[in-house]
Amino acid sequence: MAVIEEHPEVQVFDEITLIQHGVRTAITKTLPVGLTYPQYEVLNLISRRGDDLTPACIAKALRMTPGAITNTLQRLEAVGLVTVEPCARDRRRKRVRLTTGGREAYGRAMAAIRPKTEKLREGFTQKEFRDALPFLRALRAWMDERE
């Protein structure tokens, strides 16, 4: 039986895929009841970047389709975690904001995830994480340019 030599770029993408799947699974298991991973991603993005993002900006940042982000935002709005309102300057555009309930839900999600992130910090140094960032950022930027 012939051994197939895998190229390093294939191995890198395999590792990224496996890491992403592991992170998603770990976070999903700890989320408060009723909060899905895509909903968590939206709350996390708004918490990190601030209110007043447009649905299009959120979709682009999370690599989601406009339809998927619309559905996710509608579900978040239905349970009172975000508001989606017309932009004051351009009424055709929408702006997304976290509600108090959304901030609280995000806080609960982060508190639930904290034990896992602490274990991660025990397993790797800050230097190891910092050393990985330039390559990962360059790879993402290179892929974004070709999209």
Side-chain angles (χ1 to χ4, degrees), residues 3-146:
V3 175
I4 298 172
E5 178 186 344
E6 289 199 16
H7 297 280
E9 65 276 11
V10 172
Q11 292 176 17
V12 165
F13 284 109
D14 283 349
E15 292 300 325
I16 290 170
T17 299
L18 292 169
I19 290 166
Q20 192 276 336
H21 179 73
V23 167
R24 185 180 182 128
T25 299
I27 289 173
T28 299
K29 286 180 180 178
T30 62
L31 289 175
V33 174
L35 191 65
T36 66
Y37 185 79
Q39 292 169 343
Y40 162 78
E41 285 186 307
V42 170
L43 296 179
N44 187 45
L45 181 73
I46 296 170
S47 292
R48 285 189 354 256
R49 291 199 185 167
D51 284 328
D52 267 358
L53 297 175
T54 66
C57 177
I58 295 170
K60 183 178 179 186
L62 297 178
R63 307 286 197 266
M64 294 173 77
T65 65
I69 199 63
T70 297
N71 182 280
T72 301
L73 290 173
Q74 287 172 343
R75 290 173 187 262
L76 287 169
E77 190 171 34
V79 294
L81 301 181
V82 301
T83 60
V84 181
E85 301 168 345
C87 177
R89 290 185 303 269
D90 179 354
R91 305 288 294 170
R92 294 170 295 174
R93 293 184 135 185
K94 305 272 188 203
R95 296 292 180 179
V96 181
R97 292 182 180 90
L98 287 182
T99 64
T100 301
R103 291 185 203 294
E104 290 169 358
Y106 178 71
R108 286 191 305 275
M110 294 309 292
I113 294 165
R114 191 166 295 116
K116 294 205 180 280
T117 56
E118 287 171 2
K119 285 189 190 302
L120 186 64
R121 288 183 187 120
E122 291 170 6
F124 299 92
T125 66
Q126 290 294 307
K127 182 178 181 336
E128 288 172 308
F129 283 112
R130 277 191 211 97
D131 288 349
L133 283 174
F135 171 74
L136 293 172
R137 286 180 176 149
L139 179 59
R140 180 177 45 84
W142 185 89
M143 292 183 71
D144 284 349
E145 288 172 6
R146 277 133 189 92

